[in-house]
Amino acid sequence: AEGAFLWRASLVNEDKNLVARGFKLIQYGEQPVFVEGDWAGTIHAAKAQLILGQTVKNVYGRFLGNGVTVHQNTDVYRVDFNPIQQSLEVSFK
């Protein structure tokens, strides 16, 4: 993302840890990132303000911002970015 970013989505997948380990948002600009819905993933916003937990009070992932605000009573679950690697095994006879 390069402009202002507002997340108000719901996650259908109940395994938030699985989603969080494979999803990353990178904010290149200085505009703020607001997370008001379900969030599972890494946010890298080195130049931007990051605001978490305004509405939904559970966030999963890792977070970096130029100022991070976590609203009252929000639970933050650390989940490292570590996508599942698909493997392919081939055998010849």
Side-chain angles (χ1 to χ4, degrees), residues 20-93:
R21 68 181 279 193
F23 184 73
K24 183 187 290 187
L25 170 73
I26 301 173
Q27 166 63 298
Y28 291 102
E30 296 178 4
Q31 294 81 5
V33 175
F34 295 93
V35 175
E36 296 179 359
D38 286 334
W39 181 264
T42 294
I43 299 177
H44 186 273
K47 298 179 186 176
Q49 285 281 347
L50 178 56
I51 299 91
L52 303 169
Q54 286 183 298
T55 306
V56 176
K57 300 298 185 180
N58 294 307
V59 292
Y60 296 77
R62 298 289 302 266
F63 307 97
L64 179 137
N66 184 8
V68 177
T69 301
V70 180
H71 280 263
Q72 290 177 315
N73 301 316
T74 299
D75 293 324
V76 178
Y77 299 94
R78 176 185 170 168
V79 181
D80 295 338
F81 182 72
N82 184 17
I84 296 171
Q85 300 296 321
Q86 291 184 348
S87 63
L88 174 64
E89 292 184 24
V90 179
S91 62
F92 296 97
K93 290 186 177 186

